[in-house]
Amino acid sequence: MLSAGRLNQRIAIEAQIVSRGPSNEKVVTWTPVIPELWAEVKPMSVTGLLAAQALQSQATYVITIRYRTDIDRQMRVRRLRDDMIFAIEAEPLPDDRSGLEWLTLHCSQGLNDGE
């Protein structure tokens, strides 16, 4: 059972929209498809990576929300209090009891900003 008290952060779910600019260049924008949800956002690990001779870090998070069917791994999560972006790394996982109470989103933050 997921208690409402654990869902203490507001997030938005955004979808990528790809269009063409005036010079036929690819223009990527992110649009909120679910403008506000309550979630639990828990950090799991931080990995340091050496990329282009610059040390970068990537953090792994587990985000839990109430069950819904309109979220997939091509979307991203934005935490509303600080605009932190999380890339959804895998298909959302339903809870292991009924499959209809909550979803777990395995996310990363730090390298690709959901793109």
Side-chain angles (χ1 to χ4, degrees), residues 53-111:
Q53 297 182 347
L55 185 62
Q56 298 181 356
S57 65
Q58 177 176 3
T60 303
Y61 289 79
V62 173
I63 299 175
T64 304
I65 61 173
R66 296 233 179 258
Y67 180 79
R68 50 190 310 138
T69 59
D70 54 351
I71 298 173
D72 61 47
R73 70 177 296 174
Q74 284 76 41
M75 297 175 175
R76 72 180 189 181
V77 175
R78 177 183 301 275
R79 187 165 55 190
L80 297 178
R81 73 174 159 94
D82 57 7
D83 282 335
M84 185 178 283
I85 301 296
F86 303 92
I88 300 174
E89 298 293 342
E91 289 300 320
L93 297 173
D95 65 272
D96 56 357
R97 289 187 179 201
S98 70
L100 299 172
E101 286 188 48
W102 70 85
L103 284 180
T104 301
L105 307 175
H106 292 274
C107 299
S108 65
Q109 190 276 326
L111 290 182

